[in-house]
Amino acid sequence: MKDNCSIDLSDSEFSSSNAIFKAVIADLKKKGLGSVDPKPPISEEHLRQLYNPWNVAFNIHTPSGLQNKVWFDVMVQENLRQMKKATFAVGVDSQGADTTNTPDDTIGDGVMYSQPNGVMCPVYSFKKYLSKLHPQLEDLWQRPLDSFEEDASVWYCKSPLGKNTLADMLKTISEQSRLSYIYTNHSVRATTITVLDNAGI
């Protein structure tokens, strides 16, 4: 346009058009239609390291460790910041296995199954997490208390986690776990796809 028509699209008269263009490009990338940098899946070695019961980042006997573990277990769901306590339902499937699912179709329709006798069981962690949340706040992701007693009934503040904190959760977990690679939240999705593919699904 600049060379052939002497019109410079970076001029201030095109600022609102440029803003709309940038917003459309961002939306297309979110939908997977743009060129995005692929995020690596979490390696098997790092997954074993994360799910080691002695890993400080997933220590379900502390507020932040329990929250990290539950966050990671449900990360395949979308709209994290919009999740409430009532977003999930704990139940039993037709085979008698404990489950946690998302009956709210605005969030997703995922199901987590229990791992009986497993110290890192996602359903056990989730139920424990729900039981420790602040009773006067409906947000699912609440800020951990700075100091707590393990047998206390509440481990979280009457304050939701911020958008930026949620956006950096896997980075924080990677650092707390001393992983040799610092992952981003997008890696959880890539990991899910890789694990399913490796299992022939």
Side-chain angles (χ1 to χ4, degrees):
M1 293 289 287
K2 193 172 185 179
D3 292 340
N4 297 329
C5 304
S6 299
I7 297 174
D8 187 353
L9 294 177
S10 62
D11 284 347
S12 59
E13 62 187 292
F14 295 104
S15 60
S16 75
S17 298
N18 285 328
I20 292 170
F21 178 73
K22 285 179 184 175
V24 169
I25 293 294
D27 187 54
L28 288 172
K29 282 185 178 181
K30 283 182 188 173
K31 293 176 180 172
L33 301 174
S35 58
V36 293
D37 296 331
K39 303 300 179 193
I42 301 168
S43 71
E44 285 184 41
E45 177 188 347
H46 286 160
L47 282 172
R48 280 193 298 275
Q49 192 174 339
L50 287 174
Y51 276 95
N52 181 323
W54 306 111
N55 177 13
V56 67
F58 279 11
N59 182 348
I60 64 171
H61 304 293
T62 67
S64 63
L66 179 61
Q67 185 174 68
N68 288 345
K69 165 77 170 50
V70 172
W71 173 88
F72 192 85
D73 289 339
V74 301
M75 181 54 196
V76 291
Q77 308 297 327
E78 296 179 6
N79 305 319
L80 285 171
R81 187 64 185 83
Q82 297 171 20
M83 289 180 175
K84 305 292 182 198
K85 293 174 184 173
T87 298
F88 293 85
V90 176
V92 177
D93 71 4
S94 61
Q95 310 298 314
D98 287 339
T99 64
T100 301
N101 64 12
T102 52
D104 180 354
D105 62 5
T106 63
I107 300 297
D109 59 358
V111 177
M112 285 189 300
Y113 288 91
S114 66
Q115 298 169 357
N117 304 319
V119 69
M120 299 303 275
C121 170
V123 176
Y124 172 80
S125 300
F126 186 81
K127 287 160 95 173
K128 181 175 181 176
Y129 180 67
L130 281 182
S131 75
K132 299 290 188 178
L133 290 174
H134 197 288
Q136 296 177 353
L137 187 67
E138 287 306 307
D139 293 81
L140 183 63
W141 306 112
Q142 301 175 5
R143 193 164 52 83
L145 290 169
D146 292 329
S147 73
F148 73 102
E149 296 291 329
E150 190 169 344
D151 60 350
S153 60
V154 176
W155 284 4
Y156 301 90
C157 302
K158 189 181 175 184
S159 172
L161 278 184
K163 203 173 182 179
N164 292 337
T165 301
L166 284 168
D168 285 339
M169 285 287 275
L170 194 52
K171 177 180 181 233
T172 302
I173 290 169
S174 297
E175 290 168 349
Q176 289 174 342
S177 300
R178 299 175 192 240
L179 300 182
S180 58
Y181 183 89
I182 303 301
Y183 294 97
T184 68
N185 291 1
H186 297 284
S187 291
V188 180
R189 295 259 173 149
T191 303
T192 303
I193 292 165
T194 301
V195 169
L196 291 173
D197 186 52
N198 290 343
I201 300 171

